[in-house]
Amino acid sequence: MKLLYGCLVHSAEPETNIPENEKRKTANFDGTEIEIIQALLDDQEAKLFADKVRTQSILDLSQQSGTNIALSGSRHRLVDGFGRRARPMETYVGAEQAKLSDHGWHQVLDFLKDAIGVDFRRTSDRLGAFDLYDVSDTNDDNPRVEFSVERNDSTKDLSYPEEFSLSADGAIAEGCSVHVELELGAELVFSKLIALRPAVSATVTAVPFDHYKISVFDPSGMLVQFDEHSLLLRIGLNMSAMGPTLAINDPLARSTQGRGSKLHDRASKVRTRSTSRSIIGAENDTAFEIHRTTMRALTHRLVPPSGSDRWFQRGIAEEVGVIAHFNSLLDGARVSAGTIVDPYFGIDTLKRVILRLESLDIDLTVVTSLLTSDPETNEPNPDLLNELQTVLRDLRSDGIPNAARRLTVLNLVDGPRQAFHDRYLLLTPHEGEREVYLLSNSLNRMAGKWPFCMSRLEGAAARDAALYIDGLTYGRDISGSTHLTTTFQWSPNDGR
């Protein structure tokens, strides 16, 4: 049995009850059957259960008709969840991880979000782990220290507050210290340590703010509560007036006939609408806000922040800059493998790019789609693939070390047509998720003739593109758009 997620939360309501059919049930995620176990424990049972997790690293589900699951490693943190606000929690990692397909994991993530309200896409390290929430000192689930903001004059427009109130409940018997941090526009504008006595409120005059953090320490200096929230000071409203529905009968619409009414309606009908926007709340129109926005835009234009997305001007210098940027990405200290997908990656491109790659310890794959014309000159060349093999052999000759020594080259075609169109760069870091970049044009001359842009894909687009690229490296088109044939293949062991 592998652990998908589990938790032990204290202080259920006295009348809480779990229906018999919910205590143990199964679910199916992409062909894998999953058991879901829920149970209510009394205080003594919960203590024994938690002690076994802490002392033996065993999740004992025998009393719930389950089995023992080995745990390894733990982490302490303060978190919100299950009616608790920033209470201490220990997370224990399962010794063995569940093996599901990507589709199965997406089903699990959706199920957990619906079932317990936790989005594990934001807290992925808690997947395959067991959370042990600390026992509350009181049955009151309210926060020990409450941070509040009040607007005394209701006739004024909503604006940035300049004062706040703190109050401690009876759970803090000896008083506490509260570290308050206030932010405005993501910048720290106020930081103060405030002593607070039990059942006493304190109002503090500060500075304008739109975000706060409070850290509550008990008399021994232990952090016992942490809260962080942004104030809702602006509300955007969109109102759409619906117009007539337009019918379209073009080739795209006609091509959807017979493929279902829903698809055909989406392709052949357009519901027009006119939208108006309005904002209620504080306006960021002070002199300093205008200055800050203007100057940030200026400096970002003058000195673009370094990142994954890059745009290069047309010109030889920029073409060299593209190769330099590729060198920074294809760095063996950061990635173990890279794949370039470019249908026009020909002989001249091979010489221009590969010879200038600096890292010698990357497994580099180039997937191209050369036909019978030179992609650089567009001149017919039926012997193009033989010349490509000769160039590759020459790149490894004379004992000159270069990136070609770990290079794989594939040429794919779809009959007399190219096998694919878009250009990609896929990187496999030593740690973390794979990275996929979309390239605006081919690497033959790169920015020599046109501006060159590359942008990193995120989320589902990156995942799907990576799977598509993986298919191409095996001579398959998983999109079903083409019927591929591999007409040339060069591996690291060839030409030696």
Side-chain angles (χ1 to χ4, degrees):
M1 178 178 283
K2 308 293 191 304
L3 178 65
L4 285 180
Y5 175 71
C7 63
L8 177 64
V9 182
H10 296 273
S11 302
E13 294 296 331
E15 65 274 12
T16 301
N17 181 50
I18 299 178
E20 286 297 325
N21 61 340
E22 293 290 325
K23 292 181 178 178
R24 189 180 183 90
K25 62 181 182 180
T26 60
N28 192 289
F29 299 131
D30 197 23
T32 300
E33 193 170 87
I34 306 295
E35 285 190 306
I36 302 166
I37 298 175
Q38 299 184 76
L40 283 174
L41 309 178
D42 60 32
D43 289 345
Q44 183 61 27
E45 290 173 327
K47 183 179 184 304
L48 294 174
F49 191 91
D51 286 345
K52 197 162 189 177
V53 170
R54 289 191 175 104
T55 60
Q56 302 180 36
S57 295
I58 293 294
L59 179 59
D60 184 1
L61 300 177
S62 59
Q63 297 300 314
Q64 291 75 42
S65 301
T67 186
N68 288 344
I69 298 177
L71 304 174
S72 63
S74 64
R75 176 186 174 188
H76 295 257
R77 65 182 95 190
L78 293 171
V79 296
D80 293 348
F82 300 103
R84 307 295 187 272
R85 297 187 63 184
R87 294 292 173 83
M89 184 191 76
E90 301 165 64
T91 295
Y92 293 81
V93 180
E96 296 184 50
Q97 302 303 313
K99 297 187 182 301
L100 299 174
S101 67
D102 286 353
H103 181 252
W105 277 117
H106 276 284
Q107 290 180 309
V108 169
L109 294 173
D110 291 338
F111 171 81
L112 290 173
K113 186 174 181 179
D114 292 340
I116 60 179
V118 178
D119 188 353
F120 286 88
R121 292 177 175 87
R122 300 179 181 273
T123 56
S124 58
D125 59 320
R126 290 166 66 187
L127 276 174
F130 185 79
D131 289 339
L132 187 60
Y133 283 78
D134 191 31
V135 180
S136 174
D137 295 333
T138 173
N139 289 329
D140 186 0
D141 290 334
N142 293 323
R144 300 173 179 182
V145 171
E146 182 73 47
F147 182 100
S148 60
V149 178
E150 293 186 7
R151 185 159 52 95
N152 296 326
D153 190 348
S154 60
T155 62
K156 291 184 179 180
D157 292 335
L158 188 63
S159 60
Y160 295 114
E162 297 186 28
E163 65 178 29
F164 59 89
S165 297
L166 294 174
S167 58
D169 62 25
I172 300 179
E174 304 177 48
C176 62
S177 298
V178 185
H179 182 209
V180 179
E181 294 179 284
L182 305 179
E183 296 180 356
L184 179 63
E187 292 182 336
L188 184 66
V189 295
F190 179 91
S191 179
K192 187 175 183 179
L193 188 64
I194 300 171
L196 200 62
R197 298 194 305 274
V200 173
S201 297
T203 300
V204 180
T205 300
V207 295
F209 67 97
D210 61 8
H211 186 97
Y212 73 86
K213 302 177 184 178
I214 62 170
S215 302
V216 182
F217 301 90
D218 66 14
S220 70
M222 180 70 70
L223 180 66
V224 294
Q225 179 185 337
F226 175 81
D227 279 327
E228 177 180 7
H229 294 286
S230 295
L231 304 184
L232 186 62
L233 296 173
R234 301 183 70 191
I235 303 174
L237 301 176
N238 294 337
M239 182 175 66
S240 296
M242 305 307 295
T245 299
L246 305 179
I248 299 177
N249 186 24
D250 63 359
L252 175 62
R254 290 193 293 271
S255 69
T256 62
Q257 292 177 345
R259 296 174 177 263
S261 59
K262 185 175 180 180
L263 176 62
H264 183 63
D265 286 347
R266 291 175 60 187
S268 61
K269 296 179 182 179
V270 176
R271 183 74 182 273
T272 61
R273 65 180 181 269
S274 177
T275 303
S276 60
R277 301 175 65 250
S278 61
I279 295 176
I280 299 174
E283 292 291 340
N284 295 329
D285 59 355
T286 63
F288 183 78
E289 287 298 322
I290 294 173
H291 169 78
R292 179 168 62 175
T293 301
T294 302
M295 290 300 103
R296 281 186 175 179
L298 172 64
T299 55
H300 283 185
R301 187 175 76 248
L302 297 176
V303 186
S306 60
S308 302
D309 298 345
R310 292 291 300 272
W311 193 86
F312 296 86
Q313 291 273 15
R314 175 176 177 262
I316 298 300
E318 294 294 298
E319 184 175 355
V320 174
V322 174
I323 297 177
H325 186 56
F326 266 64
N327 266 318
S328 67
L329 295 175
L330 292 166
D331 184 351
R334 196 177 74 88
V335 301
S336 61
T339 302
I340 297 173
V341 175
D342 185 344
Y344 296 106
F345 199 104
I347 293 174
D348 288 344
T349 310
L350 188 71
K351 294 177 180 177
R352 188 184 306 115
V353 177
I354 298 301
L355 280 176
R356 289 179 171 85
L357 294 181
E358 299 169 353
S359 187
L360 304 179
D361 48 1
I362 292 178
D363 294 320
L364 183 62
T365 300
V366 173
V367 183
T368 187
S369 186
L370 303 176
L371 298 173
T372 57
S373 296
D374 190 317
E376 297 282 341
T377 64
N378 291 325
E379 295 293 329
N381 186 355
D383 204 36
L384 184 60
L385 295 181
N386 288 331
E387 292 181 9
L388 176 63
Q389 184 171 11
T390 299
V391 170
L392 286 167
R393 186 179 292 112
D394 290 342
L395 286 177
R396 291 182 179 166
S397 66
D398 301 329
I400 301 175
N402 54 53
R405 67 180 187 176
R406 299 180 67 168
L407 178 67
T408 297
V409 179
L410 295 173
N411 193 71
L412 307 177
V413 297
D414 179 21
R417 297 176 296 274
Q418 283 186 334
F420 52 88
H421 175 270
D422 290 335
R423 292 82 165 162
Y424 300 97
L425 171 64
L426 171 65
L427 301 178
T428 304
H430 294 294
E431 298 176 355
E433 297 290 330
R434 293 193 296 175
E435 304 170 6
V436 183
Y437 297 82
L438 184 63
L439 311 180
S440 64
N441 43 0
S442 288
L443 296 181
N444 57 335
R445 297 294 304 277
M446 290 171 281
K449 297 175 62 175
W450 307 97
F452 181 84
C453 180
M454 58 188 302
S455 181
R456 182 174 173 178
L457 300 181
E458 299 288 352
R463 184 185 68 250
D464 293 341
L467 294 175
Y468 174 70
I469 295 169
D470 287 341
L472 293 180
T473 61
Y474 289 101
R476 300 195 301 268
D477 182 353
I478 66 170
S479 72
S481 305
T482 57
H483 297 87
L484 300 185
T485 301
T486 302
T487 59
F488 179 87
Q489 183 167 353
W490 174 274
S491 71
N493 294 321
D494 292 334
R496 294 188 177 181

